[in-house]
Amino acid sequence: MSLTLEQVKRIAHLARIETSDAEALSTQGHLNGIFQLIEQMQAVDTRGVEPMAHAQDVSQRLRDDVVGEADRRAAYQAVAPETEGGLYLVPKVIE
Amino acid sequence: MIDASLKQLSQALAARQISSVELSTLFLDRIERLNPTLNAFVTVDREKSLKMAAAADARIASGTAGPLTGIPVAQKDIFCAEGWRTTCGSKMLANFVSPYDATVIEKMHRDAGLVSLGKTNMDEFAMGSSNETSFFGPVRNPWDSERVPGGSSGGSAAAVAARLAPAATGTDTGGSIRQPAALCNLTGLKPTYGVVSRYGMIAFASSLDQGGPMAASAEDCALLLNTMVGFDTRDSTSLDRPVEDYARDLDKPLAGLRIGLPKEFFGEGCDAGVMAAVRAAIAEYEKLGATCVDVSLPNSHLSVPAYYVIAPAEASSNLSRFDGVRYGYRAADYANLDDMYMKTRAQGFGAEVKRRILIGTYVLSHGYYDAYYLQAQRIRRLIANDFVEAFKSCDVIMGPTSPSTAFKLGEKAADPVQMYLSDIYTIAVNLAGLPGMSVPCGFVGGLPVGLQLIGNYFAEGQLLNVAHRYQQATDWHTRRPAGLV
């Protein structure tokens, strides 16, 4: 398998990473080298093998529905690029 | 004092031979002198460290100290520490001052009373095996400044090897504690997945990431691990297990120990000098009463391919949070919201991180999920089953940690695949979720070699015992790089 330049640009867009034509070209070479390594997997017959998502097969815990954390909004928003009145500011999305 | 073990430091502090403020100052001065060459620390804050040291001294004076209270350590810059800049080696977080503590930080500093000497350099978001992907520049190996310290916990490894800190924390997703430990002549332990809380440890690949100690000896690792572990309700994959003392079995004799030698770890692909050192270490174990058995991990050659699907897939999801809205870097100029995301992420992430996000995005995208992600998860199961089978006939598995000694800066930086292959012996352990260690076992051309020990689930105590007995019989772990005074 090898990725076309168009595919590289499409993935970069899905990942929301702006990529110039020159960057896409060098990325294409690197990614295809990596996929060549990954392709070794395709020769393995894994029919009937249960996929392993996690190192320990344990189920998710549930906790009681009670307040556990204190309100630290001011501290958390202090590290944001732009806030106002307790809200995170982003460029306008609705005209 | 610079070369003292944690036990010796603990005794000196308890006997009031030295105060924590004096001890911390000794290391802070050393950092000031040697860090400009090594680049092991990205953040040092003398005032903060000495405040912690003074508090530790007060605890010692009042009789409320724990065994490691007042001992200074270095923290990998992947652990969020309140009031400390926490960068994860990235431009994305270059100015991020964490508003909260990771559980590991809370346990080590607030509970155990250790003093933080600062935050250590690392590959960006822990993605790398050489520490060259850090936004803050490469770390130099104290054994040879033209060579890499390994990665991603390269700053922690260099700091401890050069004795800028008595011990440090690391994290290991595919070998990031064990490989730098091997390349810098340290003892490092990656615990069983779920033993050390991941809360506040900036996520790379959540089903693989695990924090652990890096130090000069197995004994130091055991003492440090005691302060790091424990069930944590804030980490959904933290395991609720009884507390154990990891130092309890250190001195247990090794007679009768069965060492499994996987034939896949002793074939082609490993430097001959490294292999000779590993074989000599195994011969030493036989002298200590252990016996060797041949085992096989027939799917281990698939661990690197499966890892480079699973880890990037999880990373692409984890790193989607860096969008310039709630914290971290935001691009200066943009046309609209989407453009802000695109530019923020293009400017904030380095090349290797972008590559892995792109691989992850692709393997999770519509039409490719089954062929890549599910196939990798099935292979992960085969790899884990290989270990289950192998541990039926042995207690611990041994082999090399890394196929070579420390390579030169720049040597593999242009070829990601070559870099990925430096983790061929360590990655399977993460996929299976097992505990693994690297222990110094010799030198090739003046550069350290690491012996890898792999244990069954929750066998950390046993691994530390196996490493400690070897360190009682050999002195490789006591060797220090020359020229760093």
Side-chain angles (χ1 to χ4, degrees):
Chain A
M1 186 214 76
S2 88
L3 294 172
T4 63
L5 198 60
E6 260 337 287
Q7 280 176 303
V8 172
K9 288 183 182 170
R10 163 96 187 125
I11 304 164
H13 179 76
L14 286 174
R16 294 295 183 272
I17 297 175
E18 188 177 73
T19 307
S20 70
D21 287 349
E23 277 175 313
L25 203 62
S26 79
T27 301
Q28 184 192 16
H30 282 135
L31 292 189
N32 282 332
I34 297 164
F35 274 105
Q36 218 174 344
L37 178 81
I38 292 173
E39 287 305 316
Q40 288 177 45
M41 290 196 322
Q42 304 306 345
V44 186
D45 184 357
T46 56
R47 273 174 300 181
V49 179
E50 185 68 21
M52 179 174 166
H54 239 268
Q56 301 282 336
D57 284 322
V58 288
S59 50
Q60 285 283 351
R61 283 189 311 273
L62 294 175
R63 64 166 176 82
D64 293 334
D65 188 15
V66 291
V67 176
E69 302 285 336
D71 176 13
R72 298 198 56 215
R73 186 173 74 175
Y76 292 133
Q77 291 206 325
V79 293
E82 231 184 320
T83 59
E84 195 183 292
L87 303 171
Y88 293 100
L89 294 190
V90 295
K92 199 164 164 185
V93 280
I94 303 166
E95 289 302 327
Chain B
M1 281 294 168
I2 291 296
D3 283 319
S5 70
L6 297 192
K7 200 181 191 175
Q8 288 166 333
L9 292 176
S10 171
Q11 285 162 351
L13 286 162
R16 312 286 203 277
Q17 284 162 5
I18 192 164
S19 70
S20 176
V21 167
E22 289 163 342
L23 185 62
S24 303
T25 303
L26 210 62
F27 283 100
L28 287 166
D29 288 349
R30 215 172 144 75
I31 293 167
E32 198 170 291
R33 200 162 64 244
L34 296 172
N35 196 53
T37 338
L38 293 168
N39 200 25
F41 283 84
V42 292
T43 303
V44 179
D45 187 329
R46 185 179 284 260
E47 204 180 315
K48 265 200 184 65
S49 296
L50 291 180
K51 216 168 135 187
M52 292 169 94
D57 282 331
R59 267 179 79 169
I60 294 168
S62 69
T64 56
L68 300 190
T69 301
I71 294 178
V73 290
Q75 291 291 355
K76 183 175 181 179
D77 205 16
I78 197 167
F79 290 103
C80 286
E82 189 171 348
W84 289 81
R85 187 172 74 134
T86 300
T87 71
C88 220
S90 182
K91 179 181 178 184
M92 191 61 94
L93 292 173
N95 297 312
F96 175 71
V97 176
S98 176
Y100 75 105
D101 275 340
T103 298
V104 163
I105 295 285
E106 202 173 274
K107 280 178 174 291
M108 292 178 76
H109 300 304
R110 194 193 64 190
D111 299 349
L114 289 147
V115 174
S116 175
L117 290 168
K119 311 293 291 291
T120 58
N121 205 343
M122 55 181 285
D123 278 299
E124 185 180 8
F125 287 105
M127 297 177 193
S129 309
S130 69
N131 221 112
E132 291 169 294
T133 72
S134 170
F135 174 66
F136 301 95
V139 176
R140 292 180 180 267
N141 190 319
W143 291 89
D144 179 345
S145 61
E146 297 305 306
R147 291 176 190 270
V148 304
S152 67
S153 313
S156 286
V160 180
R163 304 310 287 168
L164 303 188
T169 56
T171 59
D172 192 315
T173 304
S176 284
I177 286 176
R178 291 161 289 158
Q179 185 254 18
L183 271 43
C184 292
N185 207 45
L186 297 182
T187 307
L189 169 72
K190 180 203 93 73
T192 305
Y193 180 84
V195 164
V196 172
S197 169
R198 294 184 297 104
Y199 178 78
M201 191 177 107
I202 297 169
F204 159 17
S206 303
S207 80
L208 304 165
D209 298 342
Q210 186 63 199
M214 302 176 79
S217 69
E219 184 189 62
D220 286 359
C221 281
L223 296 175
L224 207 59
L225 184 62
N226 278 345
T227 70
M228 298 175 73
V229 300
F231 174 60
D232 183 6
T233 53
R234 293 180 296 186
D235 170 1
S236 66
T237 58
S238 172
L239 297 170
D240 196 357
R241 308 184 62 252
V243 176
E244 52 179 306
D245 172 13
Y246 292 100
R248 73 187 184 280
D249 286 334
L250 283 178
D251 291 316
K252 222 169 128 182
L254 298 187
L257 180 80
R258 295 168 306 162
I259 300 175
L261 305 177
K263 63 171 192 266
E264 295 79 8
F265 285 9
F266 291 88
E268 283 170 20
C270 184
D271 174 84
V274 168
M275 197 41 84
V278 167
R279 287 199 182 278
I282 290 161
E284 184 65 39
Y285 272 107
E286 288 178 315
K287 279 198 241 166
L288 293 170
T291 52
C292 293
V293 291
D294 291 324
V295 295
S296 180
L297 302 170
N299 293 292
S300 60
H301 67 289
L302 296 168
S303 59
V304 176
Y307 177 88
Y308 278 97
V309 171
I310 292 169
E314 294 183 14
S316 72
S317 166
N318 274 326
L319 272 62
S320 64
R321 73 190 59 176
F322 298 104
D323 57 5
V325 176
R326 287 155 302 156
Y327 38 72
Y329 180 79
R330 178 187 282 195
D333 300 301
Y334 40 81
N336 51 46
L337 183 62
D338 219 30
D339 194 43
M340 185 191 89
Y341 295 149
M342 307 272 293
K343 288 194 162 63
T344 293
R345 292 164 63 79
Q347 294 163 20
F349 292 134
E352 179 62 21
V353 171
K354 286 181 194 170
R355 275 197 285 275
R356 298 205 196 184
I357 292 175
L358 295 182
I359 297 167
T361 304
Y362 182 72
V363 300
L364 292 177
S365 64
H366 184 70
Y368 300 98
Y369 183 86
D370 287 9
Y372 290 104
Y373 192 61
L374 270 188
Q375 176 71 349
Q377 287 193 320
R378 290 195 168 103
I379 287 172
R380 182 176 186 179
R381 172 84 57 194
L382 296 177
I383 290 166
N385 288 347
D386 285 353
F387 282 106
V388 171
E389 201 53 42
F391 279 121
K392 284 178 182 164
S393 60
C394 66
D395 306 305
V396 55
I397 290 171
M398 291 192 191
T401 304
S402 167
S404 73
T405 53
F407 45 92
K408 292 215 156 127
L409 284 157
E411 191 179 320
K412 298 184 181 182
D415 185 350
V417 171
Q418 280 312 306
M419 190 69 87
Y420 298 173
L421 292 173
S422 47
D423 294 328
I424 45 171
Y425 301 126
T426 49
I427 279 178
V429 176
N430 299 80
L431 290 171
L434 294 163
M437 281 188 81
S438 183
V439 178
C441 73
F443 289 81
V444 178
L447 296 168
V449 178
L451 171 73
Q452 185 174 213
L453 315 180
I454 303 167
N456 216 330
Y457 296 105
F458 310 114
E460 288 81 5
Q462 183 186 36
L463 284 183
L464 289 159
N465 161 235
V466 171
H468 179 70
R469 293 299 296 205
Y470 175 75
Q471 293 182 336
Q472 297 306 105
T474 59
D475 67 354
W476 302 116
H477 67 292
T478 65
R479 311 281 176 96
R480 301 275 185 265
L484 295 168
V485 281

